[in-house]
Amino acid sequence: MKRKGLISLGHTLFSNVINFNKKSKQPQVSLPLIYAGSWQFIDELSNRTHCLEITADLRILIDHRELTGQVQMLTSKELIFLDGYGYHLRVDAVDGKPISVYDEADNRVYELSEKLDSDGCL
């Protein structure tokens, strides 16, 4: 009986060590923080540079103006925002970093780059 108890205890301890190692190797990042930041994109039709800012509380600003609407979906790969006019704005992310934004109103995808200075945006 004692032997069974020791084996069970050993198994439990070993399982906890394995699970702890799995958890510690994969740090969890809060989903909103993946998208929080400032980027710029170029509208090739008008040849203008625009700013996209997403706050930690998931407010979305384009060219320093806040969009009305709400986040409909949030995963590590995409953020989908429904604006006040009923159009979707989708921000795609790869490896925890936003890479593009799709604007349903224009039916266009814009590649995002990190915002380097405040002079490049409208």
Side-chain angles (χ1 to χ4, degrees), residues 9-104:
L9 177 63
H11 178 69
T12 301
L13 289 174
F14 182 75
S15 294
N16 288 341
V17 168
I18 296 297
N19 288 335
F20 176 78
N21 285 338
K22 284 182 184 177
K23 290 177 186 174
S24 64
K25 288 181 183 178
Q26 299 172 344
Q28 294 291 342
V29 176
S30 174
L31 285 177
L33 294 181
I34 290 173
Y35 298 96
S38 297
W39 296 271
Q40 56 189 32
F41 62 92
I42 298 172
D43 181 350
E44 293 174 1
L45 295 179
S46 66
N47 201 27
R48 289 186 161 187
T49 300
H50 296 280
C51 294
L52 170 68
E53 182 180 351
I54 302 174
T55 64
D57 61 350
L58 298 178
R59 291 183 302 121
I60 296 180
L61 296 91
I62 295 182
D63 297 334
H64 312 292
R65 287 177 282 199
E66 186 171 352
L67 297 180
T68 59
Q70 63 185 11
V71 172
Q72 285 193 314
M73 189 170 85
L74 180 65
T75 70
S76 63
K77 296 186 183 206
E78 66 182 6
L79 178 155
I80 298 179
F81 183 86
L82 180 66
D83 72 16
Y85 298 104
Y87 290 102
H88 289 100
L89 193 71
R90 185 187 73 226
V91 180
D92 296 312
V94 173
D95 295 329
K97 180 180 174 185
I99 60 163
S100 66
V101 60
Y102 166 71
D103 185 355
E104 184 181 32

